[in-house]
Amino acid sequence: DPHWYPARQSLRLDPKGKPLRDEEILQELPVGTTATFYFRDLGAQISWGTVFLIECIGPLVIYLLFYFRLPLIYAPKYEFTASKHLVVPIACVCHSFHYMKRIVETLFVHRLSHSTMPLRNIFKNCSYHWCFAAWMAYYINHPLYTPPYYGEKQVKAALAIFLFCQLGSFSIHMALRNLKLPSCKIKKIPYPTKNPFTWIFALVSCPNYTYELGSWLGFTLMTQCVPVLFFTVVGFIQMTVWAKGKHRSYLKEFKEYPTLRSPILPFIL
């Protein structure tokens, strides 16, 4: 049936088991002379790249609408005005840089294991990123916004943390890209490289999430804004779930996987 194109099909040996991977060969499966396959329709699919681009372009545009104080956002007298606090344009540049970096990585860096995801996920993902971007931007760019308690020193320290973690995140994504050669389905254990930002692989299975957490902690410290803190906490909870799942997957697939590693926070979590 052309309605069930390959990307939305799932075949399993057990109704509650894991779906078979595309590269698995029938003769090598743990079955006898006969086997029962269970088919599941995964629903309409959309490419991961498309979802990533849409969920990243949204926050980028939404934040700028608040930053430039377009009409109907704040009081009429504040339309197209600029904040008197230096931290506000710095925060805007950092927020924009983060999502522009993610867009570039989506287009040129990431090599994903799965090419598609359920279409319904785009609404969930975009709602999360777009709504949080609007909530944060509204308060950070508000005419009554007050800068961090320790002023310029706090902003500079937070900016350093943010930029360090953004560089770290990019380094990890490049290391993971180099681990997955085009058209090669063989999975490998990621190890530290000559790049110092990748040395955290010695202690953490998913340092991309560790650096992402660090970036948003830096942004929270920089803006001293409750919505940003809330976004950071929610993001950390979700990334911890993903990191634990990936860590379990590594332990299951590789007998020689380094035992010293934790999912997301060294020696803690």
Side-chain angles (χ1 to χ4, degrees):
D1 188 335
H3 172 69
W4 289 318
Y5 46 89
R8 67 183 288 171
Q9 296 178 27
S10 170
L11 292 174
R12 304 162 191 255
L13 291 174
D14 184 274
K16 296 181 180 179
K18 281 190 172 184
L20 298 173
R21 299 193 302 271
D22 292 342
E23 62 270 19
E24 290 187 282
I25 302 171
L26 180 61
Q27 287 89 340
E28 296 177 359
L29 294 176
V31 295
T33 52
T34 61
T36 302
F37 291 92
Y38 296 88
F39 170 81
R40 178 182 292 178
D41 177 18
L42 298 175
Q45 299 287 299
I46 186 172
S47 75
W48 276 87
T50 302
V51 175
F52 283 161
L53 286 175
I54 294 174
E55 76 177 39
C56 290
I57 290 171
L60 188 61
V61 173
I62 290 168
Y63 195 100
L64 292 175
L65 297 179
F66 287 89
Y67 176 73
F68 290 111
R69 293 179 177 171
L70 267 61
L72 307 178
I73 296 179
Y74 303 113
K77 66 177 180 178
Y78 296 114
E79 291 174 3
F80 301 111
T81 60
S83 173
K84 61 182 178 181
H85 304 298
L86 182 61
V87 64
V88 174
I90 292 175
C92 180
V93 170
C94 288
H95 188 275
S96 300
F97 175 81
H98 172 76
Y99 282 102
M100 287 173 68
K101 168 182 164 290
R102 286 190 59 179
I103 290 170
V104 170
E105 288 175 340
T106 299
L107 292 173
F108 304 109
V109 178
H110 292 318
R111 285 179 179 150
L112 301 167
S113 302
H114 303 286
S115 57
T116 65
M117 69 192 302
L119 179 62
R120 63 182 177 273
N121 283 14
I122 194 171
F123 303 105
K124 178 181 67 177
N125 291 23
C126 288
S127 297
Y128 169 73
H129 286 283
W130 292 21
C131 291
F132 263 117
W135 191 25
M136 291 189 292
Y138 176 81
Y139 284 98
I140 296 171
N141 299 289
H142 198 286
L144 300 179
Y145 169 77
T146 53
Y149 184 79
Y150 292 103
E152 193 176 312
K153 289 182 179 178
Q154 184 171 333
V155 173
K156 285 182 178 179
L159 178 60
I161 294 170
F162 178 85
L163 292 176
F164 178 88
C165 290
Q166 287 289 288
L167 281 170
S169 171
F170 181 75
S171 298
I172 296 301
H173 288 150
M174 288 301 297
L176 292 174
R177 171 189 168 82
N178 295 334
L179 206 63
K180 290 182 180 179
L181 298 176
S183 72
C184 181
K185 297 283 187 178
I186 299 174
K187 292 186 178 181
K188 299 177 182 178
I189 300 174
Y191 285 105
T193 67
K194 293 179 181 179
N195 183 342
F197 285 104
T198 68
W199 294 352
I200 191 175
F201 266 127
L203 301 174
V204 173
S205 292
C206 301
N208 49 322
Y209 296 144
T210 312
Y211 280 125
E212 182 79 2
L213 171 63
S215 294
W216 287 109
L217 284 174
F219 197 73
T220 303
L221 184 66
M222 181 193 303
T223 57
Q224 203 168 294
C225 185
V226 172
V228 181
L229 176 62
F230 197 76
F231 176 71
T232 303
V233 171
V234 173
F236 173 58
I237 293 170
Q238 179 60 75
M239 288 188 292
T240 299
V241 173
W242 291 335
K244 284 185 173 181
K246 187 70 175 176
H247 184 72
R248 283 195 299 269
S249 177
Y250 278 139
L251 291 172
K252 200 171 186 180
E253 289 184 43
F254 303 106
K255 292 181 181 179
E256 70 280 17
Y257 192 72
T259 55
L260 192 62
R261 293 187 190 181
S262 302
I264 187 169
L265 296 178
F267 310 114
I268 300 173
L269 190 64

